[in-house]
Structures are given as C-alpha cells and as structure tokens.
Amino acid sequence: MAILKDEKQKKKLLGETLIEKRIIQSKQLNEALKIQSRKRELLGKILIELGYITEEDIARSIAESYNLPYIELDTGNIQAEAAKYIPAALIHRYSIIPTKIEGITLYLACDKPLSGQVLGNLQRVSGKQIASYIATSSSIKNLLRDITGTSAPLLEEESIDQSIVDILSKLIVKASGQRASDIHLEPGENNLQVRFRIDGMLYKEDQLSLDLAPPLISRIKILSGLNIAEKRAPQDGSFVFKDTSEPVDIRVSVLPSIHGEKAVLRLLPSKNRKITLKTLGMEEHTLKTFETLLRRPHGIILITGPTGSGKSTTLYASLLLLRSASANITTIEDPVEYQIEGITQTQVDQINKITFPKALRAILRQDPDIIMVGEIRDKETADIALRAALTGHLVLATLHTNDAPSALTRLVDMGCEPYLISSSVCGILAQRLVRVNCQHCKEESVEISALADEKKWFRGKGCRHCQKTGYSGRIGVFELLNINTSIQQEIIKQSSAEVIRKIAISEGMRTLYQDSLLKVQQGLTTPEEVLRVAVME
C-alpha cells in the first residue's frame, strides 16, 4: 500500500515529478506556487489554468509520485459486477470507480491516493482486499452516474432523505423543549422505540417504523463524524444542533444490538448556562464548608456517587468558582462535557493512548495549580492524584462509591497506602439528584408519608408544565465529610467505612438521607424521591 505524505510533501513531489518529466520548468512551478499561496487552491488545478499542463499530466504524475498504476477509464475496461461490492453512497463520497474483481481483490480507480482509514472502510464494506489506480478527475466524474445510476452524493447532508432530516430535528427540538438530558433510539424486533430521559427518568416518547432506524442512525453518524460503514463496533462522536433558541451540544454513542444499532444522544447544557454551587442545592453550612475546602492551597477533594448523580456538574461549578487569571487549572476528562474558557481541558483518547495516568503525569509537568481528574478508576491514577495533592496541588476528582466514608476504604481497596490517603484527602462530597416538585401544580399532601417524621409535605399533582409528572427539574442532596484529625487516625488504622461514618455523624456530618429530608421539609421534593436515592436511617 502506498504511504501517504503530508500536504507539503505532496506539493513538492508533484512539482518535482513534473519538472523531472520535463512537463514544466522551475520558473513555471514557482509561479504556480506563488498563486497557490494567495488562492489556496490545488497546485494541479492552478497549473492547468495557466495552460502549462493537462489533466492527464497531473494524474500520471500523481500515480508516479505514489507508485500507483495509471489507468485510462472508459466503459470498456470496467466490470459491471465490481460496483456491487461498494454502496453507491460511498462511491460518490470518495469519488471512486470500482473497475474489476480478481479473486479476493477489488480494483478501484481514484483521482488521488485514498487514506488508510478510507481504504479500511472500503475493505470492511466490500469484504475484499483493495488495490487502487489513479485516473483523471473528469473521467471519474463522467462515469460516476453510469456506475451508480445517480449523480448525487448520497452521504452528503443535502442528499439525505428530507423526512429523516425532519424526524431527527423534531426529536431534538422536542427533547430540548422538555428539558430531556438524553434521547434513546432503540431498535426492537418490530419497531424503533424513542425514549427521553427527563429529570433522570426514562419516558416513552414515540414508536417509529423499524425501517426508519438505519437511515436515522446514518444521519446521526454523518453529523457526528462517525464511520457509517462500521456497524459491528461501538462508536462515539458529537455534533452541535443549531435549530433551537440556542445551540445544543450533543454527545453521541452508537452501540450494536441484536436488532440493529442503538443510538443515545446526550444533550449537554448550554455553554452560556451559569452553574454555581448554590444553585446545585447545597445547604448553607455545607456550602460554606465546601467552599473553604476549595480554597485550600493543596490536597484532594473527592466527589462520589453513582453515574448520573451530578458529580461532573459539581466539579464544573467548583472550577468556575476557582477560575482566575492567576491560577493554572488543567483537567483530564472522559469526555469533556462542559467547555470552560480560561481552563485547559484534556480528553481521554484510548486510540491515541491518552489515558488518565498518562495525561495526569503530563499535566504535572505543565506547572498546574489546580488539577481536575474526571474519574479515578485504578490504583495508578489514584496514586498519582494523591501524591500530586501532597506536593502542593489542589486536586478535584470523582470516585464511584455510595457514600462519603466509603471513598476512603475504596482507595485502600485499590491498593493506596493509608498514610498517603490520610495526608492528602481533605474532603469528600457524596451526592445524589432528587426531582423537584413542579412549582405550577404542587400542593400540600394529605397522604401518610413513608417517612414517619414527615407530617407535612408537598407533591406536584401533574400539569402541562411538567408533562403530567408532578416534577420539574432536579436538585442535589449532599453528604460532606470533612477530614479532620480523628478521621485521619481512623484511616491510618484502616477502620471500616461504618466506623468512620459513625464518628463523622457524631461530629456533625449531615448524611444524604438527612439532607434529603430537609428538601422534603422545604417543600422541594417528595418522600418517594428520598427513598429512591437514599437509604432510610
């Protein structure tokens, strides 16, 4: 397979080849290069416009530069069955002409060398080895319609069936209007189910014909820059949707299933949205204590909770509070969900081998003041983060545990040294999200509460503002463990999470359950929500 050069090398090789073949002179090449620097057009096109070369000269020179054969295309040297191995959409997208099949090899004509990724895509789609020729652009263009029966590139946005474009647009607009965080497109045996996640709960939104699933997924892949030919492996991407009052950043995950590919679209908060710790739902005492921890010059602060509990939002709100012209703040995330101006944000990329440990080591060489680690998943990442906190850095990170004290024993279970944990961890914030009563329809409830202490509380009865759910929006409930001397001693002794929990409560820590009860007393949520997210004490 020919090795692709970068753009500068291609220009140099083309010019050198044309001069070596005595097709042009050096002064003609220099003239074309000067024009190219102004017009930003292909060198070959400029040379043709100047009348120095022909299109065939260009094609033959490209073929020679990349050690590929040149072919003069016409219908007489094309096998009709060759085109059956590549979808018409891909033929148009890549401007290729399948010419013949010989054994396990499919021969393609193109006007420029194909990238390794494109060759891989074509090989997977056709099930054949790919060999390529170089031909003139005009000959390929003239034959495209004859080969596929259409002159429109089917994979381009404007050529997607308009009904599919409209269906996807309407779904995103509707989801955004209903404050949905996710859109699930799930192919089943007989239909395509559409569900929205609103305030953390999934609701069935629509049921579409199963025939719409492939084109809808293809449309999403195109918008997200994904490989539409790959249907057997998971893919992740993103795009910006602009047909709403303000642009919506959408993160896409596509996963193969037994009935086809499932897509989940995560609708991310607007970059213009103001996130503060106070709006997250922290009570005054918790807020003041947490802000004091954030003002420490060094140490590690852990945010814990299951997936979907709002940990990332709390991290971003903390970074917005800490952001200043005098602070070098760097993050490593998987993925970057909310872009913050003035902060260096790095995304994990397994393909390019950007892992949490590798990126964290690199960040420490960038003279950071504050480091945010999207998630501590292994001992290596945990050790680097803990040692960074000991050497003068403030580190913010998330960890998957059910409550605050369990984070300490989780680090020990990972293999971290207890002395390192006790010396570096300064605070742990556990959190959950509870749904908030709809302010348009909430009323005092006369039902007997599942919580014995609650004699007066409120419930939304359901209205058009909350889609009849009784809830509108979510708010955080928190459990903040401030690491003091007595807790440090228990860490050194490797005490259980339950022992640490009892000591913390005796010293004033408000648990997730207790903080949830406060939200009920304030009329913000219901007893059912408390029991859904917290263990009754």
Side-chain angles (χ1 to χ4, degrees), residues 303-314 399-401 430-434 474-478:
I303 314 294
T304 76
T307 300
S309 60
K311 299 187 298 296
S312 295
T313 304
T314 301
L399 194 64
H400 282 281
T401 61
Q431 67 177 78
R432 299 289 190 279
L433 292 173
V434 294
R474 289 188 292 175
I475 196 169
V477 292
F478 302 92

Side-chain angles (χ1 to χ4, degrees), residues 444-464:
E444 188 172 340
S445 177
V446 295
E447 301 173 28
I448 298 175
S449 167
L451 310 178
D453 296 337
E454 296 312 306
K455 298 180 174 59
K456 179 182 177 181
W457 49 283
F458 292 83
R459 176 196 297 280
K461 63 180 180 180
C463 66
R464 63 182 181 84

